[in-house]
């Protein structure tokens, strides 16, 4: 268990991370509103496959500091860059799940790939979630405003319903226990209420299309075709088209939280990509 200080123009924040194994470094970037703990069923597989596995908590979540500052993607990408510098990594593999895919995209958009060997976007929010005149397939802004209203009204209740939808629980009771869903809820409840709110705008309203065009390293895009949180049609499929030579894997009948429900299938896809 370790922390490092991530400095921005306005504040200094302690970021929590865990660092296991030896070999080529793989950085895992968690989804909203969870923490690095969501990667429990991947970390062991990655380390046993001969890689160094680094999983950190986004500011405002898990064991990291929970400042009253910014949670925009430029700030979050800066934290990732500071982690890479702190650990003196030169050829890291970035794996971003859901909101974490936005950190991967904005990091490359802002800092390039000089220290990056590969990337993976898993159930990820890029390229652009919001419906606009030039992105007509996106989600209405009212969807994200509804998230924020419900979080303000009853955060714990919202997170319980979101957690069920996260894994399509009614369809996947044989693949995930209610206890695991409850554990995810407890992890989500530990997050800062302000970070939970602010990150809705970050992942919902940020346009990553120009960032994705800057990807020039081997990239894996994985999405479930039953994702009810980040629909494959507006996310995975479009990211695959924008990233040159991306490897695209669709997991049939998998929900957003496929790292839990379809972990064996997903882990094989990921490890095969890391080794390729």
């Amino acid at each position: 268990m370790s922390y490092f200080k991530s400095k921005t123009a306005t504040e200094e924040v302690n970021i929590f991370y865990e660092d296991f194994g030896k070999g080529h470094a793989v950085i895992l970037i968690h989804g909203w509103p969870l923490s690095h703990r969501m990667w429990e069923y991947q970390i062991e597989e990655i380390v046993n496959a001969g890689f160094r596995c680094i999983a950190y908590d986004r500011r405002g979540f898990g064991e990291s500091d929970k400042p009253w500052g910014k949670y925009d993607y430029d700030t979050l990408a800066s934290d990732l860059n500071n982690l890479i510098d702190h650990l003196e990594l030169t050829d890291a593999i970035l794996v971003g799940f859901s909101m974490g895919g936005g950190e991967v995209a904005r990091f490359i958009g802002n800092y390039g790939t000089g220290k990056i060997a590969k990337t993976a976007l898993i159930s990820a929010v890029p390229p652009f979630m919001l419906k606009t005149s030039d992105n007509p397939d996106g989600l209405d802004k009212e969807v994200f405003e509804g998230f924020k209203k419900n979080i303000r009204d009853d955060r714990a209740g919202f997170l319980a319903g979101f957690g069920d939808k996260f894994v399509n629980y009614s369809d996947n009771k044989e693949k995930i226990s209610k206890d695991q869903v409850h554990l995810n809820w407890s992890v989500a409840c530990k997050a800062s209420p302000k970070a939970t709110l602010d990150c809705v705008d970050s992942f919902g309203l940020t346009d990553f299309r120009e960032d994705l065009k800057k990807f020039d390293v081997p990239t894996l895009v994985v999405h479930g075709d039953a994702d009810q949180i980040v629909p494959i049609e507006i996310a995975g499929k479009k990211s695959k088209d924008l990233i040159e030579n991306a490897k695209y894997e669709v997991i049939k009948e998998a929900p957003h939280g496929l790292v839990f429900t379809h972990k064996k299938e997903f882990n094989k896809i990921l490890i095969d990509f890391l080794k390729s």
Side-chain angles (χ1 to χ4, degrees):
M1 297 175 62
S2 303
Y3 290 86
F4 78 97
K5 292 187 181 296
S6 181
K7 295 182 180 180
T8 67
T10 58
E11 60 193 350
E12 184 175 88
V13 176
N14 291 305
I15 299 294
F16 174 86
Y17 69 96
E18 293 191 315
D19 189 348
F20 303 108
K22 296 180 180 179
H24 202 158
V26 179
I27 301 178
L28 302 178
I29 309 166
H30 67 83
W32 175 93
L34 297 174
S35 75
H36 81 284
R37 292 179 64 185
M38 66 158 282
W39 296 108
E40 177 178 348
Y41 303 107
Q42 285 71 50
I43 290 173
E44 181 182 9
E45 296 284 336
I46 292 169
V47 174
N48 287 346
F51 294 88
R52 177 184 179 186
C53 187
I54 301 155
Y56 73 97
D57 289 341
R58 178 181 296 110
R59 62 170 59 210
F61 297 82
E63 304 299 326
S64 290
D65 283 354
K66 299 170 175 61
W68 201 265
K70 293 182 177 180
Y71 291 89
D72 61 279
Y73 269 106
D74 287 338
T75 299
L76 302 180
S78 177
D79 288 337
L80 174 55
N81 184 59
N82 290 340
L83 173 64
I84 291 170
D85 287 347
H86 172 74
L87 296 175
E88 299 180 342
L89 304 178
T90 57
D91 60 349
I93 301 172
L94 303 182
V95 180
F97 173 86
S98 191
M99 180 177 180
E103 266 109 323
V104 176
R106 185 51 50 88
F107 174 88
I108 290 177
N110 287 356
Y111 301 99
T113 57
K115 297 180 180 180
I116 306 303
K118 297 179 181 179
T119 63
L121 302 177
I122 316 302
S123 302
V125 298
F128 193 19
M129 292 278 285
L130 182 66
K131 182 177 182 178
T132 60
S133 59
D134 66 344
N135 190 46
D137 299 327
L139 302 178
D140 290 330
K141 189 175 182 180
E142 287 72 19
V143 171
F144 306 112
E145 292 301 317
F147 276 23
K148 292 191 293 183
K149 179 183 184 303
N150 291 332
I151 291 167
R152 288 189 171 103
D153 287 347
D154 181 359
R155 184 168 66 101
F158 167 81
L159 292 174
F162 183 83
D164 283 351
K165 194 174 182 180
F166 193 89
V167 295
N168 296 2
Y169 181 68
S170 62
D171 297 327
N172 290 302
K173 292 180 180 180
E174 296 181 357
K175 294 183 175 69
I176 186 170
S177 68
K178 194 64 177 177
D179 301 292
Q180 179 67 60
V181 176
H182 182 73
L183 175 60
N184 293 348
W185 172 85
S186 68
V187 171
C189 284
K190 189 173 182 178
S192 154
K194 184 177 189 296
T196 304
L197 279 167
D198 287 2
C199 284
V200 174
D201 283 342
S202 296
F203 69 72
L205 310 184
T206 303
D207 185 348
F208 299 103
R209 289 175 291 188
E210 293 303 314
D211 299 301
L212 295 189
K213 293 176 184 177
K214 297 180 181 179
F215 280 46
D216 58 2
V217 294
T219 297
L220 171 69
V221 177
V222 181
H223 224 99
D225 65 4
D227 192 328
Q228 298 183 42
I229 304 296
V230 181
I232 189 172
E233 292 80 9
I234 68 172
K237 285 183 179 179
K238 292 190 174 182
S239 288
K240 176 259 299 183
D241 291 337
L242 285 171
I243 299 172
E244 188 173 357
N245 298 321
K247 180 177 176 56
Y248 184 49
E249 296 280 358
V250 177
I251 299 182
K252 299 296 184 183
E253 300 181 356
H256 189 61
L258 52 80
V259 297
F260 299 104
T261 59
H262 292 67
K263 53 184 175 287
K264 289 184 179 179
E265 186 174 354
F266 168 68
N267 288 351
K268 184 179 187 309
I269 291 170
L270 179 62
I271 298 300
D272 285 349
F273 174 72
L274 296 180
K275 290 183 173 180
S276 64

